[in-house]
Amino acid sequence: MKAYWFDNLPGDQRLPHDSGRTVDPAYLSSLGILHYELPDDLDAVNRIAKERNYKNQDQIEISPSTLPSYEEKVKNFFHEHLHEDEEIRYILDGGGYFDVRSKEDDWVRIRLEKGDLMIMPAGIYHRFTTDDQNYTKAMRLFKEDPKWTPLQRGSETDVNPFRKDYLKTLDGAL
Ligand code: KMT
Ligand code: NI
């Protein structure tokens, strides 16, 4: 895992877009993001899921040969959204980028590779993309079923109660 400020320059979303300014783990945790390195340790992943009352999980292999309409799906994952529940992502193979919004609404890019597990809080705005290798195999873990739906950012999500609760957790932090 590596986190840095997104450079906001035009160009393919799958390129690193590394501004050269790193973001330290303490800042990520102040955004409510947790990260663990658990290479080849599904037992640990399942333990975390159980402790946090996760009820559902699936596996996705995001690549041109395994995901129908790959290019379209990759564009869709990159639409900024939130979920009304926290979500766990565990990278089984390959790599990718999650971009999350900072307190000032800038993008922090989080590079994840095999063995990285990330927990994102409910209500945080984010987006995902594969990298230039076009391959991400991941476990997606989620608590409740309809809450897992991505809600695209707009005037409605800005007043969503889960968004408001999330913003309260940022008050007074770093
Ligand atoms: C999300 O929440 O944005 C995703 O699940 C993206 C695909 S999982 C690597
Ligand atoms: Ni999401």
Side-chain angles (χ1 to χ4, degrees), residues 2-171:
K2 178 186 169 194
Y4 51 84
W5 296 98
F6 186 77
D7 65 10
N8 291 309
L9 295 174
D12 194 301
Q13 67 191 47
R14 289 169 277 204
L15 294 172
H17 287 279
D18 189 348
S19 65
R21 292 178 295 130
T22 56
V23 169
D24 64 85
Y27 186 77
L28 287 186
S29 70
S30 78
L31 295 179
I33 291 172
L34 298 170
H35 169 260
Y36 303 93
E37 253 169 67
L38 303 167
D40 296 311
D41 198 351
L42 280 180
D43 285 349
V45 175
N46 287 321
R47 214 176 311 126
I48 291 169
K50 200 169 168 202
E51 274 166 20
R52 301 178 83 90
N53 290 316
Y54 278 65
K55 297 188 185 70
N56 303 281
Q57 65 178 58
D58 74 359
Q59 259 190 44
I60 187 167
E61 200 169 13
I62 310 171
S63 78
S65 59
T66 53
L67 197 64
S69 322
Y70 172 77
E71 291 292 336
E72 190 189 324
K73 298 253 172 60
V74 163
K75 281 200 187 82
N76 281 338
F77 286 137
F78 207 59
H79 288 143
E80 182 172 2
H81 63 275
L82 60 73
H83 306 272
E84 293 185 335
D85 223 338
E86 67 167 48
E87 61 179 45
I88 296 180
R89 296 293 179 267
Y90 178 61
I91 309 299
L92 294 161
D93 207 356
Y97 301 109
F98 273 95
D99 295 339
V100 300
R101 287 289 189 186
S102 71
K103 286 162 208 165
E104 288 78 31
D105 219 25
D106 295 313
W107 285 119
V108 174
R109 177 154 277 201
I110 303 170
R111 159 98 193 136
L112 296 183
E113 288 172 5
K114 183 178 155 101
D116 283 324
L117 181 145
M118 185 170 73
I119 308 181
M120 265 192 292
I124 190 171
Y125 283 129
H126 65 279
R127 61 187 185 187
F128 171 80
T129 184
T130 45
D131 61 24
D132 55 6
Q133 301 298 303
N134 290 295
Y135 187 70
T136 315
K137 187 175 177 187
M139 264 170 78
R140 303 187 290 187
L141 299 100
F142 44 103
K143 290 190 171 177
E144 308 292 344
D145 218 336
K147 285 198 177 176
W148 186 54
T149 316
L151 304 176
Q152 275 197 38
R153 184 171 185 169
S155 47
E156 277 177 35
T157 54
D158 282 346
V159 295
N160 179 296
F162 293 89
R163 175 72 188 160
K164 289 187 170 172
D165 284 348
Y166 173 67
L167 289 175
K168 273 183 225 152
T169 68
L170 299 182
D171 282 350

